[in-house]
Amino acid sequence: MTQGSNLNGRMAFLDTLPPEARTAFEQLGSRRHYAGGDVLIHEGDHTQDLVVLHEGFVKVTVRLDRDRMSLMDIWIGGDVVGEGAAMGVGPRSATVTACTEVVAAVVPRSELEAFLLAHPEISLSLIQMVCGRLRRSDRLRLELGGYPVPVRLARVLVELATTYGRPDRNSLRIDVGLSQLEFAALAGARTRSVHKALGQLRDKGIISTDCRLTHVRDLAGLHKAALLGAPIS
């Protein structure tokens, strides 16, 4: 399962590759299956494998202190994770955990390096992907300081709906179960503020929530709450 680009230009890595290069890249490593809650990568580890996601969703978290974790991002089939350590930057900077059943290929650094030497165009694609993630992080930091919590939360929901939403009757179902604490981490806000903002969106009929699943009932209304242009139909 892979995704195309969304309103922020976010595109799964495999979707950026030409068909032949993608087919070759998908043959790398050994495939493994993970259940929801399994950890694919542990923060601080010195392993250097690249993990290529083929099916499912994962969340990326970093430890703030002994008792607190911060949710940094969510990635889907077609993305790669662990690219920093795989490229020799240092130990693992985050923990990657399966949100659903996940199928992923674990590619040893030596195999990746040999492949990239033979396919330099994919090296460029990897570099472009890393730069894109850095730009996205910079944009998110700017938004965290420039908008109030309801707008930041709405923007998080727009991105989740656009990237991970699945049609479900008269709504888009976000197939990533997130707690209010995790929503707060993505929006850079206190849990109490996010709880209030979610309630406001529910009261307006823009979203509904049930068992950690979120349904977007009014995508245009969500875009308006996020101070974004109308969604592309």
Side-chain angles (χ1 to χ4, degrees):
M1 172 172 46
T2 58
Q3 290 292 128
S5 60
N6 66 11
L7 77 165
N8 294 312
R10 185 168 175 175
M11 180 178 286
F13 172 70
L14 292 182
D15 289 340
T16 68
L17 302 180
E20 289 186 5
R22 174 175 180 152
T23 298
F25 196 85
E26 288 179 330
Q27 305 308 310
L28 293 176
S30 56
R31 295 218 177 186
R32 300 181 186 177
H33 291 73
Y34 301 88
D38 286 351
V39 176
L40 286 70
I41 292 174
H42 291 269
E43 182 179 355
D45 274 5
H46 289 270
T47 55
Q48 295 182 309
D49 305 319
L50 181 74
V51 179
V52 184
L53 305 174
H54 290 288
E55 298 179 23
F57 301 91
V58 300
K59 62 183 179 181
V60 181
T61 58
V62 296
R63 184 169 295 281
L64 300 178
D65 54 39
R66 187 169 63 180
D67 301 316
R68 293 186 303 149
M69 301 289 291
S70 177
L71 177 65
M72 302 302 292
D73 221 324
I74 299 167
W75 299 107
I76 193 173
D79 285 316
V80 298
V81 291
E83 68 279 358
M87 297 171 78
V89 173
R92 301 295 193 184
S93 60
T95 294
V96 178
T97 306
C99 297
T100 62
E101 290 186 358
V102 168
V103 178
V106 178
V107 184
R109 182 183 177 187
S110 58
E111 183 180 354
L112 177 65
E113 288 180 339
F115 181 83
L116 294 178
L117 286 173
H119 300 82
E121 73 281 2
I122 297 184
S123 295
L124 178 60
S125 295
L126 270 173
I127 293 170
Q128 290 172 334
M129 180 206 68
V130 171
C131 291
R133 289 184 176 182
L134 290 173
R135 285 197 302 269
R136 180 170 178 273
S137 295
D138 289 342
R139 176 184 59 78
L140 290 175
R141 280 195 293 270
L142 288 172
E143 290 184 357
L144 291 183
Y147 293 104
V149 171
V151 175
R152 300 202 304 259
L153 176 64
R155 289 190 170 217
V156 167
L157 287 167
V158 166
E159 181 161 349
L160 291 174
T162 306
T163 308
Y164 311 114
R166 298 289 180 269
D168 186 7
R169 296 181 182 178
N170 295 320
S171 67
L172 280 175
R173 183 184 72 250
I174 298 175
D175 275 346
V176 183
L178 296 176
S179 67
Q180 290 192 5
L181 182 62
E182 290 171 325
F183 272 123
L186 284 176
R190 295 181 181 274
T191 306
R192 180 181 298 179
S193 299
V194 165
H195 175 78
K196 181 179 179 181
L198 285 170
Q200 292 170 344
L201 292 172
R202 283 194 297 264
D203 291 343
K204 294 176 181 177
I206 294 175
I207 67 168
S208 63
T209 56
D210 181 36
C211 297
R212 291 180 56 149
L213 288 180
T214 303
H215 288 76
V216 177
R217 306 291 181 183
D218 180 0
L219 186 57
L222 187 60
H223 273 249
K224 184 176 180 180
L227 302 182
L228 296 168
I232 299 173
S233 59

